[in-house]
Amino acid sequence: MTDSKYFTTTKKGEIFELKAELNSDKKEKKKEAVKKVIASMTVGKDVSALFPDVVNCMQTDNLELKKLVYLYLMNYAKSQPDMAIMAVNTFVKDCEDPNPLIRALAVRTMGCIRVDKITEYLCEPLRKCLKDEDPYVRKTAAVCVAKLHDINAQLVEDQGFLDTLKDLISDSNPMVVANAVAALSEIAESHPSSNLLDLNPQSINKLLTALNECTEWGQIFILDCLANYMPKDDREAQSICERVTPRLSHANSAVVLSAVKVLMKFMEMLSKDLDYYGTLLKKLAPPLVTLLSAEPELQYVALRNINLIVQKRPEILKHEMKVFFVKYNDPIYVKLEKLDIMIRLASQANIAQVLAELKEYATEVDVDFVRKAVRAIGRCAIKVEQSAERCVSTLLDLIQTKVNYVVQEAIVVIKDIFRKYPNKYESVIATLCENLDSLDEPEARAAMIWIVGEYAERIDNADELLESFLEGFHDESTQVQLQLLTAIVKLFLKKPTETQELVQQVLSLATQDSDNPDLRDRGYIYWRLLSTDPVAAKEVVLAEKPLISEETDLIEPTLLDELICYIGTLASVYHKPPSAFVEGGRGVVHKSLPPRTASSESAESPETAPTGAPPGEQPDVIPAQGDLLGDLLNLDLGPPVSGPPLATSSVQMGAVDLLGGGLDSLMGDEPEGIGGTNFVAPPTAAVPANLGAPIGSGLSDLFDLTSGVGTLSGSYVAPKAVWLPAMKAKGLEISGTFTRQVGSISMDLQLTNKALQVMTDFAIQFNRNSFGLAPAAPLQVHAPLSPNQTVEISLPLSTVGSVMKMEPLNNLQVGSGQGRHPSPYSPTSRAPLGSVEGRVYRQMFLATWKDIPNENEAQFQIRDCPLNAEAASSKLQSSNIFTVAKRNVEGQDMLYQSLKLTNGIWVLAELRIQPGNPSCTVRLSLKCRAPEVSQHVYQAYETILKN
């Protein structure tokens, strides 16, 4: 008969009977009684009253009975600590038993009894077991050290158990090695500051040797430990990858994922030019595909991990699209995850196959799946431009089915397609308007309202359509109300005569009848804009929209790198770092991928670099800055930041928009002249910002002018040049240059009177420019300027003026002179370039260089520049161009440099200097998210290095 009989008894007085049986002289009866006690304990009955009687049964040679008693002890020792002390002698005795199974059982049980009083008695037996001749006992004792450390960390350190544990990494038995690694990893996780796993090439070699022979869980412990190791160079990384690769064919999916994690991490250090790199990519695909033939739960975990891998290295699975096609019997959670990966792998080569599949999915019965499939068609259109027409055609076919939820999803994605490809597919608007009455979901209604407002001039009855939505304004969701308000304001700006009543109605509803603060605030902004300056309202509300990104749901690069380090763990399923869901201090050590040290990319890693970054610091990417105002006006404004720039998404807004078309549409195409004349003044885009000042959030901080001391020591100041000859300004000659004095930018002017009469009432005016530069004070000439007299004036400048994109970018249009009619002139001085905040850590430099697209890289040559690397670095640093690292490659000195322009735009540079080169040519590579500035940065480099 099976042991199930022990779980069926529910007699009264059972405890008394069990007590009698436990004290019986017959061994069999005793064993039966202990089984009954364990059964009662398992189903939740309180049998703690039998503690002394069960402990008495410990004195036995029967291994099965001993295991049962130990099980009971582990459960009740915490509630009966004083009684548990009674068992200590037996434990100590069992730790010296000739049977290794009993020795291991005793030390394991003592480790599981979490009672402080027992721990001191555990030390001696544990020390003996750690050096036991039997490997089974040693591997059990290794895990016991981790358990004891959890109860009393100080005791473990005092007794020297950690050193013994480190010695076990060199043990001859692979399972002992695996358990020692697991125990040390567990302890290191709870004490991140302790450098317990001090791995070196020798210990790594021992771990890799043990990897082939230990059990599957032992292999996982060792692979996880290897993933935390940082190889010293690409050769060692390749050697480790070669020895780990066979684990990819293991039957256990956890071993496979752990091996993938190690390979993904070390691939960062391999050059893409290596043959081995390509081989490794090919070897990674089959094991990942094999994981998808497991049961659904395992498939889901595999798919969540594959989702991360595909975002990091899509080339691994680019030929495996078919395995992600959905099967009819897949659970919904697997279907949705497969769909997500299909879109990530979609490319011009396979888009026809993908679209045919997605169209099929859109006719399924599962509503959630159909919605996601329709949305996926839209995402494909945005990702693969060549497929956009086919996708739109497919979406129109789906709209014709008149299935409500299909129509609504299609309208939502078509809105995004309009934004990605303006003036291309608007011919379908009529079809969309036919389905207006069937829309009942907020997102679909909001999308349709946006389309009607955005393309009101193409829709004859746009006012009637929007008015129909307005009838139930207060019943709509906030999303729809906000969209409706903006759409009607757009309509009014496009057709003001026909829609005045409509716009007054919606503004009244939004401001007077609404309790929602967001809606009310937006209503008041529009009301004030329309009532005070309709032209400005038009420029703001109808401003050109930035194109939407190809992949809006990609994980932010720094977070993705961290999650790659957690492949095969819960973090890779949640797509969140452990710190987001693990409470307390355990398991929240931040991990990051190693920097690429031998890459085919043009930025080689500076090996001997003064990094200044603490070990283990995240390789942040220099971010773009953008806040609500920046988004609204397309200006380069950022939120307050202190310290090094925070890692954010690499999608650019402010920096690019400052130099893109946004300002043209905002400020008008033609520059305003002063006194009826247009004129051009000095290029000043590159004026240094302040020492250590935080990045501000308004126009006044574009150049960061809040503090600072004196002129930057050694920085290049161009000699004064004649900006306005006397013949053009009624006898007034103006020379000048730009400097920084006491924390502010100044225009140093020299005024010479070459006329025959005295000059008075001097004035200066600045036109709108790319950086909002304007005089911070009036031009003050304290005495009249006599004929042939010269006066020197320093005019402080601020950045609170109007902003407008200039061609070229660093043009400043200025007029100076007497009275109301200043004379225009064209200064040619080139100002100092960067901000003192332009220094970055080496890791951040590398991450940012990789993050900026290759097409943004510009190459230049500076001829006749006979400087060595040290002299060039010193000269550039005086103008706030900072050398991040220096190395010598094939006889060329390579300087890796960073600078931050005073409008917040970052530029990264690679300077190649050939010592002893008779042509004295310096090669300069520049990478910047706003490539328009590269030409001006190159000119500044040339000016600084040659002067």
Side-chain angles (χ1 to χ4, degrees):
M1 191 175 177
T2 64
D3 287 346
S4 61
K5 62 183 179 181
Y6 299 115
F7 294 91
T8 55
T9 56
T10 52
K11 292 186 293 182
K12 287 188 178 179
E14 195 177 8
I15 297 285
F16 183 76
E17 283 182 23
L18 286 171
K19 199 177 183 78
E21 287 176 22
L22 285 168
N23 290 310
S24 166
D25 295 331
K26 295 178 180 175
K27 284 185 180 178
E28 278 305 310
K29 208 168 186 181
K30 222 178 224 187
K31 190 166 147 188
E32 288 292 304
V34 174
K35 282 187 177 181
K36 286 176 187 173
V37 170
I38 297 296
S40 299
M41 182 179 85
T42 306
V43 296
K45 289 182 187 172
D46 183 12
V47 283
S48 56
L50 298 170
F51 197 92
D53 306 289
V54 175
V55 168
N56 286 336
C57 299
M58 279 178 78
Q59 307 289 346
T60 176
D61 297 331
N62 186 310
L63 187 57
E64 188 184 2
L65 180 56
K66 201 176 271 288
K67 279 183 179 178
L68 291 168
V69 173
Y70 280 179
L71 195 61
Y72 176 89
L73 272 174
M74 278 190 265
N75 199 48
Y76 282 116
K78 202 160 190 179
S79 58
Q80 309 261 0
D82 295 331
M83 298 291 282
I85 296 288
M86 293 163 51
V88 165
N89 284 337
T90 312
F91 279 131
V92 174
K93 187 178 162 192
D94 281 353
C95 283
E96 296 178 359
D97 194 277
N99 185 344
L101 291 175
I102 289 179
R103 296 202 297 275
L105 184 64
V107 78
R108 177 189 293 136
T109 309
M110 285 178 83
C112 291
I113 296 175
R114 301 179 63 82
V115 177
D116 287 337
K117 291 182 181 176
I118 286 187
T119 51
E120 55 195 81
Y121 297 102
L122 174 60
C123 293
E124 212 43 53
L126 181 57
R127 186 175 283 106
K128 287 179 183 173
C129 288
L130 282 167
K131 296 182 178 172
D132 198 283
E133 60 188 19
D134 191 283
Y136 181 74
V137 180
R138 293 202 300 279
K139 86 177 184 71
T140 308
V143 176
C144 189
V145 173
K147 291 177 178 175
L148 183 59
H149 188 275
D150 200 36
I151 302 165
N152 191 336
Q154 194 57 49
L155 180 71
V156 170
E157 287 167 29
D158 294 346
Q159 294 288 335
F161 289 145
L162 293 179
D163 295 327
T164 314
L165 209 50
K166 287 179 189 174
D167 295 340
L168 289 181
I169 288 181
S170 307
D171 198 277
S172 57
N173 186 285
M175 270 319 298
V176 176
V177 175
N179 278 22
V181 166
L184 283 168
S185 300
E186 178 80 14
I187 294 168
E189 208 169 75
S190 58
H191 292 72
S193 54
S194 62
N195 191 20
L196 289 176
L197 275 165
D198 186 15
L199 298 172
N200 52 50
Q202 291 72 37
S203 57
I204 288 294
N205 192 39
K206 287 170 186 166
L207 292 183
L208 288 165
T209 307
L211 187 62
N212 300 319
E213 299 169 40
C214 57
T215 66
E216 51 197 23
W217 293 111
Q219 290 181 32
I220 292 166
F221 292 139
I222 290 175
L223 286 167
D224 286 350
C225 179
L226 285 172
N228 293 327
Y229 176 62
M230 181 69 75
K232 65 178 185 294
D233 55 28
D234 55 337
R235 190 173 296 176
E236 189 185 0
Q238 182 175 335
S239 166
I240 293 171
C241 288
E242 285 169 352
R243 294 178 71 177
V244 166
T245 307
R247 299 302 105 210
L248 292 173
S249 54
H250 201 283
N252 186 315
S253 50
V255 175
V256 173
L257 284 176
S258 292
V260 168
K261 170 169 64 183
V262 174
L263 296 173
M264 284 292 289
K265 196 165 179 185
F266 291 170
M267 276 173 82
E268 284 293 303
M269 299 185 69
L270 302 179
S271 166
K272 290 184 178 179
D273 297 337
L274 281 176
D275 291 341
Y276 181 69
Y277 183 86
T279 310
L280 199 52
L281 286 178
K282 287 176 188 167
K283 284 184 178 176
L284 276 168
L288 293 171
V289 170
T290 306
L291 291 175
L292 299 182
S293 55
E295 53 267 34
E297 293 79 9
L298 276 179
Q299 272 190 59
Y300 179 71
V301 172
L303 286 164
R304 291 294 280 174
N305 281 276
I306 287 169
N307 202 326
L308 294 174
I309 292 163
V310 163
Q311 287 184 57
K312 184 69 183 171
R313 298 198 185 280
E315 62 269 29
I316 292 174
L317 289 161
K318 67 180 176 185
H319 300 304
E320 304 292 343
M321 176 64 84
K322 280 190 176 176
V323 299
F324 300 105
F325 286 176
V326 171
K327 295 175 185 162
Y328 76 95
N329 58 349
D330 280 339
I332 183 67
Y333 54 88
V334 170
K335 284 181 176 178
L336 296 178
E337 204 58 38
K338 280 184 173 179
L339 206 52
D340 209 29
I341 294 168
M342 278 172 66
I343 298 158
R344 297 208 192 287
L345 290 175
S347 64
Q348 200 176 341
N350 57 26
I351 193 70
Q353 205 179 15
V354 173
L355 273 180
E357 195 74 12
L358 291 175
K359 194 171 180 181
E360 193 69 31
Y361 300 160
T363 59
E364 291 269 343
V365 290
D366 190 313
V367 176
D368 286 339
F369 182 52
V370 172
R371 286 176 181 279
K372 183 105 180 194
V374 174
R375 204 158 277 212
I377 294 171
R379 281 176 63 189
C380 285
I382 289 164
K383 187 176 181 192
V384 186
E385 188 171 345
Q386 294 79 358
S387 74
E389 203 159 326
R390 268 172 102 166
C391 293
V392 171
S393 161
T394 306
L395 289 168
L396 288 175
D397 291 346
L398 292 171
I399 288 173
Q400 297 306 333
T401 64
K402 301 292 181 187
V403 178
N404 188 272
Y405 53 87
V406 175
V407 172
Q408 305 204 76
E409 283 297 328
I411 285 174
V412 171
V413 295
I414 284 174
K415 180 201 84 170
D416 289 339
I417 293 171
F418 284 169
R419 282 197 61 190
K420 177 70 177 176
Y421 309 109
N423 304 317
K424 208 167 178 187
Y425 300 108
E426 282 77 2
S427 55
V428 306
I429 290 174
T431 313
L432 302 183
C433 290
E434 289 167 15
N435 295 279
L436 210 59
D437 298 335
S438 64
L439 306 181
D440 52 21
E441 291 170 13
E443 195 176 3
R445 289 172 75 83
M448 193 65 227
I449 290 166
W450 182 87
I451 291 169
V452 174
E454 189 68 17
Y455 302 102
E457 68 278 11
R458 297 170 190 239
I459 304 169
D460 296 335
N461 61 337
D463 51 342
E464 291 172 23
L465 296 177
L466 292 177
E467 200 167 359
S468 67
F469 283 105
L470 206 55
E471 289 162 9
F473 186 78
H474 290 303
D475 301 326
E476 300 283 6
S477 70
T478 305
Q479 182 183 9
V480 176
Q481 289 177 333
L482 287 165
Q483 200 61 263
L484 190 53
L485 171 60
T486 303
I488 290 175
V489 171
K490 283 180 184 174
L491 177 65
F492 171 71
L493 291 168
K494 290 174 181 179
K495 301 179 179 178
T497 51
E498 305 156 37
T499 53
Q500 199 157 354
E501 201 175 308
L502 188 62
V503 80
Q504 284 177 341
Q505 190 183 347
V506 77
L507 288 172
S508 172
L509 286 168
T511 54
Q512 292 165 22
D513 305 342
S514 172
D515 296 331
N516 185 307
D518 291 338
L519 183 63
R520 215 167 47 234
D521 286 355
R522 189 182 290 192
Y524 278 126
I525 286 173
Y526 286 152
W527 201 323
R528 284 172 189 157
L529 265 174
L530 293 170
S531 58
T532 55
D533 192 348
V535 177
K538 197 166 190 175
E539 288 168 345
V540 171
V541 180
L542 302 180
E544 193 176 324
K545 311 289 180 298
L547 294 182
I548 60 173
S549 146
E550 285 182 14
E551 290 280 6
T552 50
D553 59 342
L554 283 175
I555 294 174
E556 191 273 317
T558 315
L559 174 59
L560 179 62
D561 285 355
E562 185 176 355
L563 292 176
I564 292 290
C565 301
Y566 287 108
I567 284 176
T569 68
L570 205 53
S572 68
V573 178
Y574 283 161
H575 287 188
K576 292 178 181 175
S579 53
F581 59 87
V582 176
E583 289 185 6
R586 295 174 62 87
V588 291
V589 184
H590 286 291
K591 299 182 181 181
S592 60
L593 294 178
R596 185 177 289 284
T597 54
S599 166
S600 57
E601 295 172 36
S602 59
E604 297 102 328
S605 165
E607 283 161 6
T608 55
T611 66
E617 180 159 313
Q618 302 276 5
D620 291 344
V621 174
I622 296 171
Q625 295 170 325
D627 60 6
L628 179 63
L629 185 58
D631 205 8
L632 182 68
L633 298 179
N634 286 342
L635 300 180
D636 188 24
L637 307 182
V641 177
S642 58
L646 301 171
T648 68
S649 164
S650 62
V651 177
Q652 291 302 304
M653 250 178 347
V656 174
D657 284 345
L658 178 65
L659 303 156
L663 283 170
D664 286 336
S665 58
L666 175 66
M667 295 295 183
D669 295 327
E670 292 302 321
E672 277 183 14
I674 298 175
T677 313
N678 290 340
F679 51 96
V680 179
T684 56
V687 185
N690 264 335
L691 308 174
I695 299 167
S697 61
L699 275 173
S700 60
D701 294 317
L702 270 172
F703 283 65
D704 212 354
L705 304 172
T706 46
S707 66
V709 283
T711 306
L712 287 173
S713 172
S715 63
Y716 170 69
V717 176
K720 286 193 178 80
V722 175
W723 287 347
L724 181 64
M727 65 181 71
K728 288 188 179 179
K730 299 175 184 174
L732 177 65
E733 182 180 279
I734 301 178
S735 306
T737 187
F738 289 90
T739 60
R740 164 177 287 288
Q741 293 176 351
V742 197
S744 62
I745 305 160
S746 296
M747 183 190 263
D748 284 1
L749 297 172
Q750 182 175 293
L751 309 181
T752 304
N753 181 357
K754 295 200 171 179
L756 299 175
Q757 68 271 19
V758 174
M759 292 184 177
T760 58
D761 300 329
F762 291 94
I764 189 165
Q765 285 179 278
F766 279 44
N767 209 351
R768 296 188 291 192
N769 55 78
S770 300
F771 302 93
L773 267 185
L779 184 65
Q780 293 186 342
V781 181
H782 295 296
L785 198 58
S786 304
N788 296 318
Q789 186 184 351
T790 296
V791 64
E792 296 203 347
I793 303 154
S794 185
L795 177 71
L797 303 180
S798 72
T799 53
V800 296
S802 297
V803 176
M804 172 182 171
K805 180 188 166 189
M806 301 298 294
E807 290 294 341
L809 293 169
N810 54 354
N811 264 4
L812 174 65
Q813 301 176 335
V814 175
S816 302
Q818 300 178 80
R820 298 184 176 208
H821 301 287
S823 302
Y825 53 90
S826 307
T828 54
S829 168
R830 192 168 291 132
L833 189 69
S835 155
V836 289
E837 296 168 351
R839 191 190 296 276
V840 296
Y841 292 142
R842 172 186 161 200
Q843 279 183 305
M844 189 188 286
F845 180 96
L846 284 165
T848 308
W849 186 281
K850 284 193 282 182
D851 193 57
I852 297 173
N854 285 336
E855 54 267 26
N856 284 25
E857 185 172 350
Q859 309 272 352
F860 302 98
Q861 290 188 357
I862 302 172
R863 301 186 186 280
D864 305 320
C865 183
L867 291 175
N868 60 23
E870 286 73 21
S873 178
S874 173
K875 263 196 168 194
L876 291 164
Q877 179 148 341
S878 68
S879 290
N880 291 336
I881 301 175
F882 297 100
T883 300
V884 177
K886 177 191 165 190
R887 62 184 293 203
N888 188 284
V889 179
E890 298 173 358
Q892 286 190 81
D893 284 332
M894 315 278 283
L895 296 179
Y896 300 91
Q897 298 181 318
S898 64
L899 61 140
K900 182 183 173 190
L901 298 184
T902 48
N903 58 358
I905 295 175
W906 288 85
V907 183
L908 302 184
E910 177 190 84
L911 205 61
R912 296 172 184 241
I913 299 172
Q914 181 84 49
N917 182 358
S919 69
C920 302
T921 299
V922 173
R923 298 183 188 281
L924 174 67
S925 297
L926 297 174
K927 256 194 173 187
C928 178
R929 299 194 197 280
E932 296 94 331
V933 306
S934 296
Q935 181 66 31
H936 306 290
V937 174
Y938 153 66
Q939 289 167 0
Y941 258 88
E942 190 173 42
T943 304
I944 294 164
L945 290 175
K946 287 187 174 184
N947 289 284

